[in-house]
Amino acid sequence: IEIYSLHVDCKVTSRFAHTVITSKIVNRANESREATFEVELPKTAFITNFSMSIDGKVYPGIIKEKASAQVEYDTAVSRGQSAGLVKITSRKLERFHVSVSIAAASKVTFELMYEELLKRQLGKFELLVKVRPKQLVKHFQIDVHIFEPQGIRFLETNSTFMTNELTEALTKVQSETKARILFKPSVDQQKVNPELDETLLDGDFVVRYDVMRGATAGDIQIVNGYFVHYFAPQEMPVFPKNVVFVIDRSGSMGGRKIEQTRDALLKVLQDLRPEDHFGFVTFNNKVVEWKSSLLQATAENVASAAGFVQTLSASGGTDINRALLTALSLLGEAQGLPERSISMIILLTDGQPTSGERNVEVIQENIQKAVSGKYALFCLGFGFDVEYKFLEKMALSNGGIARRIYENADAALQLQGFYEEVATPILMKIEMQYPGNAVEGVTKNNFKLFFEGSEIIVSGKIKNDLDLLPVEIKAQSHASDLTLKEEANVKEKEQVFQNQSYIFGNFIERLWAYLTIQQLLEKSISAQEGDQKSLEAQALDLSLQYSFVTPLTSMVVTKPAGEQETELANKPTEAG
């Protein structure tokens, strides 16, 4: 079985990435063989299309509501269920895997298409292509086109497998608003050494970039009656923060995990700013406060905390409820905090509540009542024994987010990286306002906090023939209350994309649908049951209308007769 061509074509238009992976395979044996197509794609992406074409006959994947696809599938496969086609494989990736039997001398072409909105983190956008052909490929290429009307501020590519020879196969062409990156290694360049048929291509190919920004109320782009508004202010004073670290030291945290936690916390302590206040609550079946009140992050207090962190050891049960309530009362009773400051709790746990209150719903209610919108709660779940759904619901209900920390060698870096993302809040209570009579279907436009290095994105539809779209942003910074105003000239904005031949026309509409689905799904996690159903119904309609494989839809892949005829591609979620 020979993969004679493998192309990855990626077009990024204003952060929205559209990727097509095409693999052409020939069976050079004189009997039929299995041809396999295996691709790792970002978890944040939605698959939008897949097809196999065998000797000219096309077998398309069809996207349906998950429940009805499952029924159809179960009927087709009365002989026991086969595994789904998509599985989470790592912190950032999931794997799509399909194989099909092809006759001697036959050819098959696999094509997979997926889309995602690139998210700005720590000042850059990242486009990740996983490369793993497992054999030398005659025609191999990765072709990335980027068009950013705001202008490209910087662009870098790196990969985990680059050698000097392979660097020669990489070309980068860049203008003010466009970039093209082409990686096209010959068979000789792909080889580990000239004698062996082993490939070097195994790992990540990453493109990172950021865009230019004026000091205005963000940037508005408009195509075919849909708008997207990007807002990422820079060079603003940072809010002092009051942060309580709530650290699980139950028995299961023993060994490697507690070491990595100590390493990460020591680094995080170094990153606190002098005007920050902080505290530690550690817990197993007992809850211990490092100090009975929050302390300012002076050099002396930080050094003393580092001494405490180094003594952390693991044993006993897990009383999440009391640990969080203790942290909340530390914040509630804190004296002398800066007037304009932001209070947050960062919980790190690797297990389920086993001591004290064990009912997760009761814990959620207790915490939500105690937080009552005043603080942000971030929940980090270490490994796979945590009840991730519970952590995610608790974080999203209390103005924060949840993240899974994977038990790898880089777990300490994952923890530090998460802290860096939330370490510099520069705006709070951000409201992105558009005149109600001018727009509809607007995505989330109120945000509790904005962290430096990230980006706020709002999208919607423009009603009627509007000439000017006025926007107003209200927010609180550390120094003052802000009001920023801007007017977008609809015709001029539409012009920007008119003559860009390689852009798929309705990309802002698809971006709007992608963002709306993501937000409806996120909202449904912390919603009451009745609301949950209606949020999911809306997300399902959009998933079907725009053909996205989301947690509510399935792609039914039909194979030639004589094989197990149908298989399902579902979207896995972090909560499983």
Side-chain angles (χ1 to χ4, degrees):
I1 286 280
E2 181 199 334
I3 302 174
Y4 62 93
S5 167
L6 183 59
H7 283 199
V8 179
D9 282 299
C10 184
K11 296 182 167 58
V12 184
T13 307
S14 189
R15 344 267 199 272
F16 195 64
H18 173 88
T19 302
V20 182
I21 299 179
T22 312
S23 172
K24 296 183 178 178
I25 297 178
V26 61
N27 179 4
R28 300 222 182 271
N30 47 15
E31 58 188 9
S32 64
R33 290 278 164 92
E34 282 281 284
T36 298
F37 176 68
E38 188 174 277
V39 167
E40 289 189 72
L41 62 145
K43 286 179 182 175
T44 43
F46 289 150
I47 290 173
T48 65
N49 206 348
F50 169 72
S51 67
M52 296 183 281
S53 101
I54 301 170
D55 293 333
K57 183 169 176 6
V58 178
Y59 298 85
I62 293 168
I63 295 177
K64 301 188 168 178
E65 180 183 357
K66 198 174 195 172
S68 64
Q70 192 65 49
V71 169
E72 199 175 303
Y73 175 67
D74 291 344
T75 323
V77 192
S78 49
R79 57 167 189 273
Q81 202 169 319
S82 92
L85 300 176
V86 190
K87 291 194 174 49
I88 287 182
T89 51
S90 68
R91 191 158 62 90
K92 291 182 176 175
L93 296 165
E94 59 194 34
R95 178 167 51 225
F96 178 92
H97 174 110
V98 70
S99 51
V100 62
S101 170
I102 54 170
S106 279
K107 290 180 176 177
V108 56
T109 298
F110 294 103
E111 185 178 272
L112 179 73
M113 197 181 284
Y114 59 84
E115 292 177 345
E116 65 176 317
L117 182 55
L118 302 181
K119 192 173 169 202
R120 188 167 184 252
Q121 278 179 318
L122 302 175
K124 37 184 93 131
F125 300 101
E126 178 178 285
L127 181 72
L128 170 60
V129 176
K130 187 78 176 176
V131 178
R132 203 185 240 155
K134 296 183 183 166
Q135 55 170 268
L136 300 170
V137 178
K138 192 171 175 187
H139 303 287
F140 178 94
Q141 72 171 41
I142 297 174
D143 194 2
V144 179
H145 286 267
I146 298 173
F147 174 51
E148 287 289 350
Q150 285 169 270
I152 296 170
R153 191 173 66 79
F154 81 90
L155 175 80
E156 60 184 30
T157 58
N158 68 22
S159 92
T160 50
F161 52 78
M162 252 338 149
T163 59
N164 289 343
E165 285 75 42
L166 281 175
T167 312
E168 290 168 21
L170 182 69
T171 49
K172 259 195 331 192
V173 184
Q174 192 180 337
S175 69
E176 194 183 335
T177 58
K178 287 183 189 172
R180 183 182 182 192
I181 295 145
L182 182 63
F183 178 55
K184 200 173 177 179
S186 65
V187 169
D188 286 343
Q189 287 171 319
Q190 293 171 41
K191 288 183 178 180
V192 172
N193 70 39
E195 281 71 60
L196 292 174
D197 281 354
E198 265 181 64
T199 176
L200 284 164
L201 305 183
D202 181 0
D204 299 345
F205 183 85
V206 186
V207 179
R208 293 191 187 90
Y209 72 93
D210 195 19
V211 301
M212 305 281 209
R213 290 182 178 78
T216 56
D219 189 76
I220 291 181
Q221 296 171 18
I222 298 171
V223 171
N224 295 347
Y226 283 78
F227 78 89
V228 59
H229 184 183
Y230 298 108
F231 180 54
Q234 41 203 20
E235 290 165 19
M236 298 193 96
V238 177
F239 277 101
K241 59 186 181 303
N242 317 307
V243 56
V244 183
F245 298 96
V246 180
I247 307 297
D248 184 341
R249 54 182 169 84
S250 60
S252 53
M253 280 288 288
R256 192 75 190 281
K257 286 189 202 165
I258 200 85
E259 271 171 46
Q260 291 173 316
T261 302
R262 287 196 299 254
D263 290 348
L265 288 173
L266 291 172
K267 294 276 192 324
V268 163
L269 282 167
Q270 297 310 310
D271 288 343
L272 288 170
R273 296 163 182 268
E275 61 277 14
D276 292 341
H277 287 68
F278 73 107
F280 281 97
V281 171
T282 65
F283 69 99
N284 45 23
N285 38 338
K286 298 193 183 70
V287 173
V288 175
E289 295 173 275
W290 168 55
K291 299 279 192 238
S292 56
S293 63
L294 292 189
L295 294 188
Q296 194 171 342
T298 60
E300 200 179 333
N301 288 338
V302 165
S304 151
F308 166 73
V309 164
Q310 272 154 337
T311 66
L312 282 180
S313 63
S315 66
T318 312
D319 189 345
I320 293 176
N321 184 58
R322 210 151 51 89
L324 284 173
L325 291 173
T326 305
L328 284 161
S329 66
L330 263 179
L331 284 172
E333 292 160 16
Q335 305 282 315
L337 299 180
E339 192 174 319
R340 278 195 178 218
S341 60
I342 285 170
S343 298
M344 57 175 81
I345 290 176
I346 298 178
L347 166 70
L348 172 68
T349 177
D350 77 331
Q352 307 182 4
T354 59
S355 313
E357 180 54 70
R358 292 176 201 184
N359 180 328
V360 292
E361 277 156 19
V362 175
I363 298 176
Q364 273 157 352
E365 272 171 42
N366 292 346
I367 302 311
Q368 202 164 344
K369 217 183 326 191
V371 169
S372 69
K374 296 196 289 281
Y375 317 119
L377 170 62
F378 297 96
C379 297
L380 302 178
F382 205 145
F384 281 86
D385 298 328
V386 289
E387 194 154 330
Y388 191 80
K389 262 195 171 118
F390 154 64
L391 294 180
E392 189 173 37
K393 181 170 180 176
M394 202 157 55
L396 291 171
S397 307
N398 295 294
I401 57 170
R403 181 89 40 98
R404 194 188 294 279
I405 302 297
Y406 278 68
E407 287 181 56
N408 306 343
D410 72 343
L413 287 172
Q414 294 175 50
L415 287 165
Q416 263 166 265
F418 173 80
Y419 173 76
E420 270 178 61
E421 283 174 51
V422 299
T424 46
I426 56 175
L427 290 178
M428 56 193 262
K429 297 185 180 151
I430 305 108
E431 289 176 40
M432 314 279 284
Q433 298 172 339
Y434 313 88
N437 59 357
V439 295
E440 58 190 345
V442 174
T443 58
K444 177 177 162 138
N445 63 341
N446 282 319
F447 302 86
K448 198 165 171 167
L449 295 172
F450 175 79
F451 298 101
E452 192 168 54
S454 66
E455 179 173 61
I456 283 176
I457 303 179
V458 181
S459 182
K461 307 180 215 184
I462 295 175
K463 289 187 193 170
N464 356 358
D465 291 338
L466 200 66
D467 295 331
L468 292 174
L469 174 63
V471 303
E472 182 169 293
I473 302 174
K474 291 195 150 98
Q476 294 178 9
S477 77
H478 183 224
S480 62
D481 291 0
L482 305 175
T483 303
L484 304 168
K485 291 184 179 179
E486 180 85 48
E487 271 190 336
N489 180 318
V490 177
K491 293 271 181 296
E492 275 174 27
K493 291 284 180 189
E494 290 250 5
Q495 218 50 57
V496 174
F497 295 98
Q498 230 88 65
N499 32 22
Q500 303 302 331
S501 55
Y502 65 79
I503 286 159
F504 48 113
N506 56 351
F507 90 93
I508 293 185
E509 184 177 344
R510 293 193 67 79
L511 180 160
W512 167 82
Y514 171 98
L515 194 56
T516 304
I517 292 165
Q518 294 273 32
Q519 291 177 357
L520 287 167
L521 292 171
E522 191 171 286
K523 228 173 164 174
S524 78
I525 291 169
S526 55
Q528 301 301 316
E529 209 165 312
D531 297 341
Q532 209 164 15
K533 293 272 177 286
S534 105
L535 292 165
E536 285 182 359
Q538 292 172 56
L540 172 63
D541 282 351
L542 285 171
S543 304
L544 291 170
Q545 188 185 339
Y546 290 94
S547 62
F548 285 129
V549 179
T550 69
L552 304 169
T553 51
S554 282
M555 182 186 282
V556 181
V557 174
T558 306
K559 294 183 177 180
E563 293 194 52
Q564 180 179 348
E565 289 179 15
T566 40
E567 291 195 88
L568 289 190
N570 290 331
K571 173 83 180 159
T573 62
E574 199 60 79

